[in-house]
Amino acid sequence: MKHVKLMDRLTQYMDAGFPILYLNTFEEKLAMELLQKAAHNAGRVRLIQWDMTQGYSEYSLRKKEYLIPPMNCEFTELTGRMEMKEFNSSLFVIKDISSLLDNPAAVAFLKELSIRISIDIESNIVLLSSVVKIPKELENFVTIVEMDYQTEEEIQETIQRFCEEQETTISRQLLNEMAVNFKGLTESEIISILSLALSNDGDLSRKDMSLIFEQKQQKIRKSGILEMIPLKENLEDIGGLEVLKNWLKKKAVVMKDLGKAEKFGVDAPKGVLIAGVPGCGKSLSAKAAADLFQVPLLRMDMGRLMGKYVGESEENLRKAIALAEAISPCVLWVDELEKAFAGIGGIGGGAEVTTRLFGNFLTWMQEKEAPVFVVATANDITKLPPELLRKGRFDEIYYVGLPKDEERRHIFEIHIKKRRPNDLKLIDLSRLVKETNGYSGADIESVVKDSIETAFVNQKSAVTTEDILASIKQTHSLSEIMKEPIEQMKKIYEQNKFKNASK
Ligand code: ADP
């Protein structure tokens, strides 16, 4: 049977008398099967259910029949009618908790029952929902339980079973590759994508991989906390940052053969923090790392993580981590880390949540076992709490500064080659380099783009050094705009002895 681990966990929670379990899932039918078995194992005799459409019902877990078949009834009507002790030895399942959030009588009832469960009633309440919304009054009684993601082997079985049912076949190799690509999706999501792929052209083939990617990308985006980024950039697209690139290459060898590396005594890579001047290749490095490791890239949006209900932000972080672990090996890119963790240690509701969230993130960084390689990027490290910068959280912290001469030459080369490969040999890169001291990589890219557009508009057949120089004259470099803060930052990095990403 699948989800044995989850069922055992539920049984344990029930046995231990946890008052409210919040089961967070879209898969209601499967969840109900697991709950019934777990409740039976924990010695519960009755399943009491309430939801908006079916109303109230009581079901005997021993005789497997209804004691009271579903009947229409408001939640509060029910709670006023029964004595607390009548709920003994029961599992109480509520499916539409969001409809009860603004109902003080319902919340008060659940609170009272929770207190009684903590004292003398052998029962449990399960809130079954696809979104986590916990009334503040119940917060202390609630334990959130997440459905397990399918393992790679389970996904393989799901695909095989699907093929048998649909009377179609799939090669062993494709099956294995598909299973890897499906990681992080639930069984019903996998089946719906397989059905779509099959209905497209009547069989499952390698062509369907892009469909799987797109569908998975959408599903993950809908979950609202992680985004799956298509891999377009690689190490060759980064000009300069040689030290960082070499370091990533070393980690790639380990990531690609993690089992063997660990047996040899190598620590599993945790991740890297890349901080420094905006527009100088930090995000580019996160993307290139995933390409180099040949694993998916997930971007965590810290802004969206922060929820408005109690416990929602922590739950979102937990979910994001669970999803990243299910998809692992992968790169988890935490973009603009300083924005997420600004206000740590402050006073007030928002700051407290951030502090807790931060603590959870650190603990995970410290203890994580799944091969999730974290690439955190930050523009302004002065806002980051010092705990994050301590050794052991990240494998390394790199500082990215404005590109030096040789690096700017390389960046020009990359961007000219991308758009006008034939013009490159006629361009005097040394002159461009001389005129762009203080320009960021993004500045250089925009200069190149701009000069190519102008050349096109002027109906020229090629882009020349002069065209690009003209564009440079019209551009204000980053260091012109942000001279002070950049110098300030550089000092802090040097004081903290961060490694320079460039030679
Ligand atoms: P940030 O450091 O703010 O994360 P990005 O990596 O997003 O900056 O850079 C923005 C864009 O500028 C990139 O997509 C790329 O086109 C260009 N760029 C920045 N740095 C480099 C670099 N070192 N080499 C090549 N292109 C670069």
Side-chain angles (χ1 to χ4, degrees), residues 233 237-241 277-285 287 379 411 414-415 418 441-442 445:
E233 284 91 353
D237 292 309
I238 308 176
L241 309 186
V277 182
C280 287
K282 298 187 297 294
S283 312
L284 206 53
S285 304
K287 295 174 193 164
N379 288 329
I411 299 174
I414 288 168
H415 288 288
K418 219 184 247 173
E445 185 191 20

Side-chain angles (χ1 to χ4, degrees), residues 102-113:
D102 299 324
N103 182 337
V107 174
F109 166 78
L110 289 173
K111 186 173 171 185
E112 194 190 340
L113 183 56

